[in-house]
């Protein structure tokens, strides 16, 4: 199987005054197309830093990243912000721990938002009903985020991440704020997206039961891979 993501020696050092923190330290692994990767580890171990670099949202201090065989980050290569934006739109959907829904837009408008920036609004409107049905939020389409439960907000955030048909879904603790029933629903949904649509999933989770859906598990400790199974 082809490797959709290749990470080699990824290192991300944050500087805070005189202090340097290696949030990510020489991390290497490959992600086969169509797989689920679970990223686990204690708070502060570098999980968000890793998925932000993999998702081309943050530059590593050193190391290499290839997406679909093409170099994104490597020594001597500096892609422009415009090119990175194209890569993000082409490959990725993102679900962030804090949802980041726009409070003044309805559910439907929030989901369609990514298309507004890339003139694919018409195409996305065609996807909208199917995605809202799949996520069980069709009845909430004209609600504002403040009128939703936490689980519904999370599902709107997932719908927004899916609206552009991404090849890769990056989900940073998508059940962090949910009870076990809602968490179970999101887990089933993520497995469903992987199995039926072939979406490659990078999943950060604290929940060991949820992490078991991974074909590959990356455990981080102080920015390093502890074990890869
Ligand atoms: N912008 C930043 N500036 C300086 N240090 C940072 C920054 N962002 C993260 N860090 C540090 O990098 C380390 C890794 O942070 P990261 O957010 O990747 O951890 P995490 O594994 O996602 O934790 P959590 O489970 O709490 O979300 C931590 O020590 C954190 O304090
Ligand atoms: Mg985090």
């Amino acid at each position: 199987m082809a490797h959709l993501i290749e990470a080699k020696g990824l290192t991300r050092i944050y500087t805070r005054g005189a202090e340097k923190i290696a949030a990510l330290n020489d991390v290497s692994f490959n992600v086969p197309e169509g797989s689920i990767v679970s990223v686990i580890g204690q708070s502060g171990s570098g999980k968000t830093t890793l998925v932000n670099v993999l998702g081309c949202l943050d530059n590593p201090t050193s190391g290499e990243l290839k997406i679909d065989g093409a170099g994104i980050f490597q020594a001597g290569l500096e892609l422009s912000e415009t090119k990175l934006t194209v890569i993000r739109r082409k490959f990725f959907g993102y679900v962030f721990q804090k949802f980041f829904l726009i409070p003044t837009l309805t559910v439907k408008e929030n989901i369609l938002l990514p298309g507004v920036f890339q003139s694919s609004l018409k195409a996305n409107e065609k996807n909208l009903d199917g995605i809202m049905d799949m996520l069980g939020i069709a009845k909430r389409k004209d609600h504002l985020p403040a009128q939703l439960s936490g689980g519904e907000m999370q599902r709107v955030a997932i719908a927004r991440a899916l609206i552009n048909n991404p090849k890769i879904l990056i989900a940073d603790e998508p059940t962090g704020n949910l009870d076990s029933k809602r968490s179970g629903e999101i887990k089933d949904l993520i497995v469903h997206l992987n199995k039926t649509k072939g979406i490659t999933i990078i999943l950060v989770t604290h929940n060991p039961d949820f992490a078991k859906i991974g074909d590959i598990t990356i455990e981080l400790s102080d920015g390093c891979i502890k074990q890869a199974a």
Side-chain angles (χ1 to χ4, degrees), residues 37-79:
V37 179
S38 294
V39 180
I40 59 171
Q42 290 184 348
S43 179
S45 60
K47 303 180 298 296
T48 294
T49 305
L50 173 64
V51 298
N52 283 348
V53 172
L54 296 179
C56 310
L57 296 169
D58 186 22
N59 293 30
T61 309
S62 61
E64 291 179 16
L65 179 72
K66 282 186 186 170
I67 306 287
D68 205 16
I72 309 293
F73 302 119
Q74 63 192 58
L77 173 75
E78 195 161 338
L79 294 186

Side-chain angles (χ1 to χ4, degrees), residues 100-106 110 143-147:
F100 295 121
L101 300 179
I102 311 285
T104 52
L105 299 181
T106 65
N110 264 289
H143 285 54
L144 293 171
Q147 299 167 324

